[in-house]
Amino acid sequence: GSNFASISNAAYKADVTKAAATPGQAGCLGWNAAETALFKNVDVVPFVDSAVSMYGKGATFQLSLGDIQPASIRMLG
């Protein structure tokens, strides 16, 4: 709930004020408009981070930027 990034976006603030005063599903359009204003002004950037498990029974390998380096795969006898 705090604005730790110190974002100053007048369209966002106006849309949030309107959306917060509109109860129920009717306020959803206002919230959507507010969030759109953040993206239009590049005040927020979408970010995704996911963990991917990799298993290599009977093999060794090295990772590069989170992916297996094909040339590093060694099959154990």
Side-chain angles (χ1 to χ4, degrees), residues 5 7 35-49:
I7 293 171
E35 291 178 5
T36 299
L38 291 175
F39 285 98
K40 281 184 179 178
N41 203 41
V42 194
D43 288 326
V44 294
V45 178
F47 175 80
V48 175
D49 186 21

Side-chain angles (χ1 to χ4, degrees), residues 25-72:
Q25 192 170 355
C28 291
L29 290 174
W31 288 111
N32 189 43
E35 291 178 5
T36 299
L38 291 175
F39 285 98
K40 281 184 179 178
N41 203 41
V42 194
D43 288 326
V44 294
V45 178
F47 175 80
V48 175
D49 186 21
S50 61
V52 177
S53 299
M54 294 181 206
Y55 303 93
K57 184 176 181 180
T60 63
F61 52 86
Q62 294 177 350
L63 298 177
S64 175
L65 301 174
D67 291 321
I68 296 174
Q69 290 182 341
S72 74

